[in-house]
Each structure stands twice: as structure tokens, then as C-alpha cells.
Amino acid sequence: MPTGKKKRKKSLRGMDNSLLEEAVGIADNRGRVVVVVEDCVETSGAFVLHHFLKRSLHPDSSDVVVFIAFAHPFSHYDRILRKMGCNLTVQRKNQRFLFLDMLTLECPDRNEREAREDGLLALYGEIEKAVEIYSSLEGSRTITIMIDDVSLMEVAANGSSNHVLDFLHYCYSLKEKYGCSFVTLNHEDIYSSANTLPLILQPEYLADVIIKAEPLATGLASDVHGQLTVLNKGSACDLGGSSSKVRNFHFRVKENNVDYFYPGTRT
Amino acid sequence: MAETICRALRDGAMEGEHAPALTIKDTINTPLGSFVFNHMLTQLTSNILAGKSQSRGIVLVALSRPPSFYAEVLKNKGFDVSSSSKWLRVLDCYSDPLGWKNKLIESGTIRNPYEETVLKTSLCKNLKELDEVLSSIVELGKEIVEEGKGRFAVAIDSVSEILRHSSLPSVARILSHLRSHDQVSCIFCLLHVDLHEAKVASTLEYLSTMHADVEPIVQRTNEQRSTSEDLPMMEQCFKRGKFHVRFKRRNGRVRVMREELYVEGSGIKFTEVSSVDGLTAQSLVPKVQFNLELSEKERLDRAKVVLPFEHQGTGKPIQIYDGRKSLNESETEEKQASVEKPQTTEDSGRGEIIYFRDSDDEMPDSDEDPDDDLDI
């Protein structure tokens, strides 16, 4: 549907976050994108996740989101997205938003390694089943899988980062067959030792876009809440091509949207 | 030099020696290792198809990328993928390395999760059993070559994935087993160094005859992973890198070579090391709002500027006083003296300082201490 696409593009441009959209650069190249969002204690990157959520659930598209929440209950996201002009409850009824509440997921600690694996295996089964059903429906749609966040998944898996990486590997393998996209949130500053570092590095190797939320190097400011660095590997991580680019800009999180601007363009 | 590697892989194992092995290493700062891997794969493929290489075919162990990705890589390089079953087998350890999908199918949760590809693949459903993996690699290799004779190459992408499921000793055992197998022509594998401890990289280096490091063009001084400071540098790191290769000869001699690689269009290019070329130099200069460069006209104008302390000359030869009378000066002065002689006799009351230099050896206005030879 070319008209729908055009309309969607136009409305995206009107959303006043074109800087992020442009840096990520996936507006045209829909689907099959792996986005890794990394934040730190000083600067939360949750708003980037909300941005992608709103973008996928835009009324002009028919894209579907599978949201795996380890961090917050449904009501939390519902409240935030409602202020941004997107009603999650309605989307959930319309079968466009699948919310998997994993707050209670506990892979039992009774020594068994299998139990941990089973917990994640069951979760993966649920995701793949949903993806299979969605992709068998009529019409073309991108299925985006979001995880908030990976570090809490590690907690649920009793600190076994290998199991989490296995789970992520299986999720990524859905990309080829079903053309899914991925957005995951992780905290960069909690991984320092050699044992845990792979959990942040491995997804970076496989990602197409890495978004880092950091505080300003010059300290706190009242009207700038932090900076985003967007590393877009372009097609570089796939089939060659040197279209990789790096962008850096500041942001200000407001009540119902986020302002993105280049350093020094706001007083 | 990348050519030297390709030649070594092409020539394969010598009689009575283990097969040559190449380890390609990279880090997250310059994640270009997979480009080098694909380059080696396509080069070896074209050698095989031209009948130049010792090996008859390749067994590709796909762990971090799906088989369809490699089908696309080969297709982009102009190889006929549909007839690839003659020279390529893929051991698919990507789609279902732990057998999860298999379990889900058995429990009826999902139906058919596997992706179809044009390449001839064989599915590995339990990566933890490395012995099974080994025997399936050898089996696939034997499918390509005729029974009894001929050799095949093994490509592993990447060892880092295997190491997540198995211990280092068992991986090392598999690799050395493959190297000593009498039907293996050569092995090359990819390793993301920063995912592992230091000993992993060195163990693999012992097991290989060549190692290729992909390093950043400029090493960062601080080891912090802070990103916002050198954006142009980071952008360069995704496109260019140093390619540092060590060859181990049979007699133990090590040859080290360096090249630069950059990502371009459909693949990578290797170039001689240039100390500082324009692009890097420009990217190293911090981005400032002032113009630090001069145009040709500005350069000429600058050359014309007369500095205030410079002897202007204005047509006459430039004379710089060095404490001595120069030749032509003394001539004119002598003439003057002969003319002015009567005057000086008249004016005898006037004082004057007469200075005789000790010798011509002494440099005029020399910096050395005149009292140097005083013995007090």
C-alpha cells in the first residue's frame, strides 16, 4: 500500500524526533533490524524504547510488537505511552501489542541447570508461537520484539549470562525466517568483569544499530538531560558497504515527548 | 599480504605436516573480522572453482550467521550458488544449536521454524557434543571429496560461539584433531578476542600457523569505553583497520607483516601501510569551527608578506654586520680615510675606542664565555 507508507512517513517526520529517526535510519529499510540500547545509572535509556514502541504501533501501520517486560508492569508502559498519544490497552485488544509479563518469571534455584534453561525455553516458545501466528496472518507487517531489559533477564536466569545469550541467539534466529526486528535495552555500566562482559559485547557484535545514552561530559544541566550516541553500522554488518555512520546529539525528556537537538543549538 | 594468506590456504597441507590454520581475530572497536572471514571464504572458493587449490571443497561451520547469509555473500561475489553442492557443505549450528526448536516442535508449540536456503546444509542440534560436531564436519567433507583421495577445507564462524557452550580444552582438541586429519587441507576460523580471557587467544595462536589481527587504526589511549569524545575516529573504526599478520614457518621463524584494510562496496580492500594519509589525518584533527587549512592563494599571499625585522635590501646587497669589516667596505673606507686624513689630525682631542680582535679564529659574537680560561 504505497499511499499508507507515504502517509506514515509524513507523520513520522512530524513527530519532532527526526534526529533520532534519521540517525537510526530504518524508516525505509523496514524489518530485520537489531537495535541495542545501552544506558547507565545517570541517564536512563527507557525513553528510546518508548519511542520505538510508539513508532511500531503507529495507527497507519499494521506492525506488531511483542514486548517482554522484566522491568515494569503493563500499567507503567500504558501510562507513559498514553501521554505520548498511544493507547496500549486498545492496541492489546487489537492484537497488535503482545505483552509478556515476566516480572514473576523465576527460573527455580533448586540447583538444576535445566530448570533455568526451561524457563527461558518456555519464554522463547511463547515468542516464536506468537511470531508464527502473526506472520501467518494476511498483509505484510513487521514484528518487533522488545526486551526491557536484558540485565533483569540475567537476574531471572540466576545470573547465568550464557543462558541469556543463548536465548538472545534464538530470538535473533527469528530474523531470517520471519523478518523480525529487535530492540533490547541493557545497562552498560554494570558489566565490568571478564565473566559478564560478553553479555554487553556479544549483542553489540550482532547489532545493526547501537544507541548509547550517556550523561553530558560537562556535568548536569537543567535543560539538557543527556546525550545519545547512535552507531549505525549500516549494511556494513551484513553484506559490505561502508554506509556506517555515527551521530551524537543531546536530548531533553519532556512530559509527553522528547526533544532531540545538536549540541549548542538550544540556549 | 592478504594474498599470501590466501595462497597458503590454497596450497594447503604439505606431506607429513599438519594442515595450515588461520585465526582471524578482532575486537568490538574494529568489528571487521567477519569481513576478513568472508574475503578468505570467497577467495578460497574462487581458487577451488579454478582448480588451483589443494582442497576440493569447503565445509563451512555456521555459528554466528545463518546459512542464508553466506548464500547471499557468495551470490554477491558472482558465484553460482545453485550448483554449490559440488564444493560447499554448511553445518548449520546457527538455527538450533541447543535443540530448543526441536523440543518445541515435539511439544507441538510451533510447526516449522527452520529457514530454507539454497545451500546444502546439515543441521546440528546439539552443539555441546563436540565429538558429534567433529564427526559431522568430517562426514560432510567426505561427501564433497571422492572417497579415499582429495582434501577439503574447514571454515568456522566463529569459535567464540563454540566456546560459549564448551570448554577451551575440548575446543582445542577438536581444532588439533581437524588439523591432523589427513583429508583436511586447511582451516580458518574467526574469534572475537574481547569475549574471552587472554589465554583463549593464545591457545588458538599455538594451534594455528597464521594469525591475522584486525586492530584499530589508532589505539585509544584510555581504555574506557566512552564514546562521545571521538566520533570521527569511531566512524573510521567501522570502515578501516590495521591488518596485522604473523606467519609461523616450519622452522619456528615468525614473519610479521602489516597492511591496512578498508571496507568498500561489496567487500574489503587491502592496501600498503601508509604512515598518515589524508583521510586519517583529517579525521584525527578535532572538528573545530575555524579553518586550519590554507588555500593556494592564501599560501602565495603569505609568502609575499615582508616581515618588519627582515633586511629589505632595496637593490643593494644585504650586509649583515659581523664585527669585521667586509672587503668592499674596507676599500671604500680606506679611500675615505685618505681623503679625511687632514681632518683627523685637526680633531685630535676626540676619543675613540680601538679594538683589535685576537685572531680570526674567534667567532664574532660567539656565545662562549670570554672568561672561560681564567684560573682563579
Side-chain angles (χ1 to χ4, degrees), chain A residues 113 117 124 128 132 162 166 169-170 173 176-177 188 202 204-205 214 231 236 239-241 246 248, chain B residues 27-28 35 94 96 98 100-101 111-113 128 161 164-165 192 194-195 225 227 231 235 238 265:
Chain A
R113 186 190 158 89
E117 207 178 291
Y124 173 72
E128 173 143 19
E132 208 176 61
N162 268 353
D166 289 340
H169 175 94
Y170 269 96
S173 75
E176 270 67 41
K177 176 146 176 148
E188 191 179 3
Q202 177 82 20
E204 277 192 27
Y205 273 111
E214 294 163 312
L231 284 91
L239 301 164
V246 182
N248 177 267
Chain B
T27 59
I28 195 70
F35 287 103
Y94 175 85
D96 199 5
L98 299 170
W100 284 15
K101 290 186 182 178
R111 273 168 292 167
N112 178 25
K128 284 184 174 147
E161 292 280 334
R164 208 172 70 222
H165 302 290
H192 301 304
D194 45 3
L195 295 180
R225 285 161 45 77
T227 51
L231 294 179
E235 207 167 303
F238 283 106

Side-chain angles (χ1 to χ4, degrees), chain A residues 46 137 144 200:
Chain A
L137 297 176
T144 307
I200 195 98

Side-chain angles (χ1 to χ4, degrees), chain B residues 35-289:
Chain B
F35 287 103
V36 179
F37 183 86
N38 295 345
H39 178 78
M40 296 302 159
L41 183 69
T42 47
Q43 289 292 314
L44 187 61
T45 305
S46 60
N47 278 330
I48 288 171
L49 289 179
K52 286 184 202 160
S53 72
Q54 187 191 41
S55 55
R56 300 279 178 80
I58 305 175
V59 177
L60 174 64
V61 186
L63 289 139
S64 64
R65 305 264 182 208
S68 56
F69 169 80
Y70 289 101
E72 200 68 13
V73 167
L74 291 171
K75 207 196 272 174
N76 277 12
K77 282 281 172 186
F79 295 110
D80 182 13
V81 186
S82 53
S83 67
S84 66
S85 61
K86 285 177 203 152
W87 45 267
L88 183 69
R89 289 284 184 286
V90 183
L91 182 63
D92 182 4
C93 302
Y94 175 85
S95 301
D96 199 5
L98 299 170
W100 284 15
K101 290 186 182 178
N102 203 31
K103 275 186 206 166
L104 290 171
I105 292 175
E106 279 170 10
S107 66
T109 319
I110 52 174
R111 273 168 292 167
N112 178 25
Y114 302 117
E115 195 205 3
E116 283 144 23
T117 148
V118 280
L119 300 178
K120 190 151 185 185
T121 58
S122 158
L123 199 64
C124 164
K125 286 181 188 167
N126 194 355
L127 196 54
K128 284 184 174 147
E129 289 295 320
L130 276 185
D131 287 322
E132 275 176 34
V133 175
L134 177 67
S135 59
S136 27
I137 292 174
V138 173
E139 235 167 72
L140 288 174
K142 281 182 178 161
E143 272 179 34
I144 304 173
V145 299
E146 294 139 51
E147 201 54 48
K149 51 184 174 177
R151 289 171 181 256
F152 57 91
V154 180
I156 304 171
D157 167 36
S158 62
V159 180
S160 300
E161 292 280 334
I162 310 180
L163 281 165
R164 208 172 70 222
H165 302 290
S166 313
S167 65
L168 180 59
S170 50
V171 174
R173 190 169 56 85
I174 296 299
L175 284 177
S176 61
H177 197 286
L178 278 174
R179 275 196 69 198
S180 56
H181 194 277
D182 55 1
Q183 277 190 299
V184 173
S185 158
C186 61
I187 304 176
F188 58 103
C189 55
L190 178 64
L191 178 76
H192 301 304
V193 182
D194 45 3
L195 295 180
H196 311 285
E197 293 170 57
K199 66 175 184 186
V200 172
S202 25
T203 308
L204 286 179
E205 280 184 25
Y206 277 115
L207 286 173
S208 51
T209 51
M210 298 171 276
H211 13 107
D213 274 334
V214 182
E215 292 166 355
I217 291 274
V218 177
Q219 291 284 356
R220 287 199 204 158
T221 42
N222 53 343
E223 280 302 306
Q224 282 183 342
R225 285 161 45 77
S226 97
T227 51
S228 54
E229 281 157 26
D230 43 4
L231 294 179
M233 206 53 242
M234 262 169 64
E235 207 167 303
Q236 285 299 314
C237 281
F238 283 106
K239 295 174 186 171
R240 304 153 60 81
K242 270 193 263 177
F243 192 57
H244 182 178
V245 180
R246 268 176 291 171
F247 295 96
K248 274 189 282 186
R249 295 275 188 81
R250 254 177 305 164
N251 59 9
R253 210 185 113 196
V254 176
R255 200 154 55 117
V256 179
M257 292 203 274
R258 278 181 186 281
E259 255 181 350
E260 266 175 30
L261 66 89
Y262 60 95
V263 180
E264 187 205 63
S266 58
I268 51 171
K269 282 265 175 346
F270 294 91
T271 52
E272 293 285 306
V273 176
S274 55
S275 51
V276 180
D277 70 29
L279 197 62
T280 328
Q282 259 179 13
S283 71
L284 284 179
V285 175
K287 277 191 176 154
V288 290
Q289 283 154 341

Side-chain angles (χ1 to χ4, degrees), chain A residues 11-159:
Chain A
S11 55
L12 277 178
R13 204 167 295 145
M15 272 163 74
D16 189 37
N17 34 36
S18 49
L19 220 48
L20 179 62
E21 286 292 327
E22 185 218 321
V24 173
I26 52 174
D28 301 321
N29 171 26
R30 298 177 63 208
R32 295 180 184 241
V33 183
V34 178
V35 181
V36 173
V37 184
E38 290 170 6
D39 65 358
C40 50
V41 174
E42 295 90 348
T43 313
S44 163
F47 69 93
V48 183
L49 215 63
H50 302 148
H51 168 81
F52 282 110
L53 190 56
K54 186 188 172 187
R55 187 176 180 282
S56 301
L57 294 176
H58 203 268
D60 291 337
S61 74
S62 58
D63 293 355
V64 177
V65 175
V66 178
F67 200 96
I68 304 143
F70 286 90
H72 301 286
F74 177 76
S75 52
H76 169 87
Y77 301 101
D78 191 30
R79 215 166 286 148
I80 293 170
L81 267 288
R82 194 166 297 190
K83 282 205 169 160
M84 293 167 72
C86 172
N87 193 332
L88 287 186
T89 319
V90 172
Q91 302 285 8
R92 208 178 181 181
K93 274 183 198 147
N94 291 348
Q95 308 286 323
R96 283 189 57 197
F97 182 65
L98 177 66
F99 189 84
L100 298 175
D101 190 342
M102 290 295 133
L103 293 173
T104 51
L105 175 77
E106 257 180 48
C107 313
D109 201 17
R110 290 186 297 275
N111 75 37
E112 282 110 321
R113 186 190 158 89
E114 286 81 29
R116 277 188 292 199
E117 207 178 291
D118 281 349
L120 291 177
L121 172 61
L123 174 59
Y124 173 72
E126 226 168 305
I127 295 168
E128 173 143 19
K129 192 177 163 190
V131 168
E132 208 176 61
I133 292 169
Y134 281 129
S135 61
S136 65
L137 297 176
E138 272 177 42
S140 68
R141 68 200 72 211
T142 306
I143 302 163
T144 307
I145 299 172
M146 291 191 180
I147 302 176
D148 184 16
D149 59 73
V150 176
S151 63
L152 285 171
M153 184 191 275
E154 194 193 355
V155 173
N158 282 324

